[in-house]
Amino acid sequence: MWLEYIHLRQFRNYSDLQLVCDPHKNLFIGENAAGKTNILESIYYLSHGRSQRTRLDRELIGWEQPFATIKLQAQSHRHGGQVVLEAQLTLTPQNTLKTVFKYNGQPVRSRSDVVGKIPTVTFFLNDLQMLRGAPEDRRNALDSALVQYDPAHFKRMSAYQKVRQQKSGLLKQPPQSIDPMVFDSLNQQLSITGAVLIQARLDYLRQVHPMAAQAYARLSQCRDQLEMQYVSSIPLSDVLDMAQIQDFLYQAIQARQADEYRRGQVLVGPHRDDVQFFLDGKDASHFGSQGQQRSIVLAMKLAEIQLLKQQLQDETPVLLLDDVMAELDPSRQQMLLEHLDPGMQVFLTTTHLDNSLKLFLEGSGSVRVFEVAKGTVKETEIICKGAPDVAIASAQ
């Protein structure tokens, strides 16, 4: 899998940007806030069906513009050749947002129908704060990785979120006005959709855990042993099946019903769950050093790449690295770069070229280097060894 072409119109700070991509390495150099991350965000958006930076799609549209479009063209062995994904975001006269997704030129029913068509592994700066962040950050990281491994997970999340929003809306009403039968029906639906979501997360963690532990052992030179645990409001074990998870979840919801009425919130479900990481039995979020925590995040990303490559069989995912190299020490930089598949396409942003990046770019495979400044992108001649001579249109 590799991206051939990116076309952005009125997306963030790009009025009309067209990029011909290198099948191996694509480096974007520029100052902070120049627009480097916006390019990676456009790839993420069509790969995941949502942005990693905002929950509001209208924020993707350029300032005072009525629409934005994203178009990606890729080559895929799995899909028998060319893959074209598009998203058009339009503000209606009533100031509502209409979003249309297309796959190979044809509109699709839902954004979930484009998820995973161009699989990606992402490594952004906020990922490095995952262990010290909130449970929501770890859930999002887990679900983001899972969606690429199994695109059907997007529908699982959507189904659960829909029921949760319905119940949340009901809880905003006075308790005496809530129909107990309607409320119980929502609780049952929440336990069903929630159990499916929890089971998928557990299955993924069982597969990624040994890979991450092995990667961490290499990073730490076997000084610490990495373990991870899914933390839920219900008792979990390896022997639970879907029906048992659903039953435990329903019981937990029933037990907190009075609290939910009182607080007007949905208090039980996978939207409250967490993932904990342990080093030699100690909670790494509290007792791990900054270096240990960053090694855990890096180990998780390496495991994600390995697992996704197995799932894709005959092709590699696209790797998006957003300014993370400057935040990794030389040993971790080397660890990451050494474990990249030579055939993996990489999109990497940075504010400057250091020695590790120069060595990476001068290694095997072709490379394109782009300078980004205030919504314009132009190819530079700093390093273009092995890259075909193709003119790149600048955004004005």
Side-chain angles (χ1 to χ4, degrees):
M1 167 67 69
W2 64 279
L3 276 174
E4 297 178 296
Y5 176 75
I6 301 172
H7 187 189
L8 307 178
R9 294 185 62 202
Q10 313 296 356
F11 178 83
R12 293 289 192 180
N13 67 332
Y14 293 109
S15 59
D16 191 0
L17 174 64
Q18 300 178 61
L19 291 179
V20 177
C21 308
D22 187 89
H24 296 103
K25 302 165 187 173
N26 298 270
L27 177 68
F28 298 88
I29 303 177
E31 296 180 357
N32 292 329
K36 306 185 303 294
T37 300
N38 296 343
I39 297 171
L40 270 58
E41 181 183 24
S42 70
I43 302 171
Y44 186 102
Y45 184 79
L46 280 178
S47 175
H48 289 74
R50 60 183 177 87
S51 167
Q52 84 282 10
R53 301 163 74 189
T54 177
R55 295 180 179 180
L56 302 175
D57 282 359
R58 66 172 56 224
E59 293 183 4
L60 307 179
I61 300 176
W63 181 252
E64 294 186 339
Q65 299 300 321
F67 73 92
T69 60
I70 310 168
K71 182 177 182 179
L72 305 180
Q73 180 177 300
Q75 285 292 330
S76 169
H77 297 300
R78 286 186 307 137
H79 298 290
Q82 195 174 84
V83 173
V84 179
L85 300 183
E86 299 174 68
Q88 170 121 18
L89 297 80
T90 306
L91 287 173
T92 68
Q94 294 75 33
N95 199 34
T96 59
L97 183 69
K98 179 181 180 181
T99 304
V100 176
F101 290 86
K102 292 182 180 180
Y103 173 51
N104 288 346
Q106 299 299 314
V108 296
R109 294 180 59 187
S110 167
R111 66 183 65 205
S112 65
D113 294 320
V114 301
V115 171
K117 293 292 191 297
I118 299 178
T120 59
V121 172
T122 62
F123 199 172
F124 297 134
L125 277 176
N126 58 352
D127 290 326
L128 292 170
Q129 302 300 320
M130 184 172 64
L131 268 75
R132 291 200 178 275
E136 180 182 12
D137 299 317
R138 290 181 284 278
R139 289 193 303 271
N140 288 342
L142 174 58
D143 286 330
S144 177
L146 218 169
V147 159
Q148 297 303 287
Y149 178 75
D150 180 9
H153 190 65
F154 190 95
K155 293 184 178 179
R156 297 185 193 109
M157 293 190 298
S158 298
Y160 176 78
Q161 183 65 9
K162 182 179 179 179
V163 179
R164 180 191 162 198
Q165 288 176 343
Q166 289 176 332
K167 180 177 176 180
S168 181
L170 204 61
L171 284 169
K172 288 180 170 57
Q173 301 178 17
Q176 61 273 17
S177 68
I178 299 176
D179 186 332
M181 293 185 64
V182 173
F183 194 72
D184 185 64
S185 175
L186 287 175
N187 284 340
Q188 292 183 39
Q189 293 178 54
L190 205 69
S191 65
I192 293 170
T193 56
V196 172
L197 194 57
I198 291 172
Q199 184 69 70
R201 288 174 176 175
L202 290 172
D203 289 344
Y204 181 81
L205 285 175
R206 289 190 190 103
Q207 295 182 77
V208 82
H209 185 179
M211 297 178 180
Q214 186 178 37
Y216 185 85
R218 293 195 301 268
L219 277 167
S220 67
Q221 299 179 341
C222 299
R223 286 191 294 268
D224 309 297
Q225 183 177 352
L226 173 65
E227 296 180 355
M228 60 187 71
Q229 179 180 350
Y230 187 80
V231 181
S232 179
S233 53
I234 63 172
L236 294 173
S237 71
D238 291 336
V239 298
L240 288 180
D241 58 24
M242 183 76 71
Q244 290 172 312
I245 294 175
Q246 179 181 329
D247 185 54
F248 278 130
L249 189 55
Y250 181 73
Q251 292 178 32
I253 292 171
Q254 292 291 92
R256 297 293 304 277
Q257 183 167 305
D259 290 336
E260 290 186 332
Y261 277 135
R262 179 173 53 84
R263 297 174 58 179
Q265 296 178 348
V266 181
L267 300 177
V268 179
H271 67 288
R272 293 266 179 164
D273 292 352
D274 196 359
V275 180
Q276 288 184 329
F277 297 90
F278 300 91
L279 294 177
D280 292 338
K282 296 181 180 179
D283 189 338
S285 64
H286 296 293
F287 299 102
S289 67
Q290 185 179 76
Q292 288 174 317
Q293 292 174 352
R294 292 189 174 190
S295 292
I296 291 173
V297 177
L298 180 54
M300 288 295 292
K301 293 298 177 179
L302 293 172
E304 186 181 337
I305 292 172
Q306 182 181 352
L307 188 59
L308 192 52
K309 282 169 59 179
Q310 291 181 5
Q311 179 76 352
L312 299 175
Q313 297 180 348
D314 61 345
E315 62 186 19
T316 58
V318 176
L319 180 62
L320 308 180
L321 300 173
D322 188 27
D323 265 340
V324 295
M325 298 303 289
E327 299 297 324
L328 295 174
D329 59 41
S331 64
R332 292 180 180 85
Q333 289 181 4
Q334 184 178 2
M335 179 69 174
L336 173 60
L337 298 178
E338 283 180 353
H339 286 79
L340 298 183
D341 190 298
M344 179 179 289
Q345 187 183 33
V346 180
F347 289 80
L348 189 152
T349 70
T350 187
T351 55
H352 63 283
L353 276 174
D354 57 21
N355 289 331
S356 63
L357 275 181
K358 288 179 181 178
L359 290 173
F360 172 60
L361 296 172
E362 292 171 351
S364 61
S366 53
V367 57
R368 271 197 168 89
V369 180
F370 304 95
E371 289 182 348
V372 183
K374 295 181 180 179
T376 65
V377 180
K378 65 178 181 179
E379 188 169 6
T380 177
E381 296 182 358
I382 296 176
I383 303 174
C384 289
K385 295 180 180 179
D389 185 14
V390 179
I392 304 299
S394 295
Q396 300 299 331

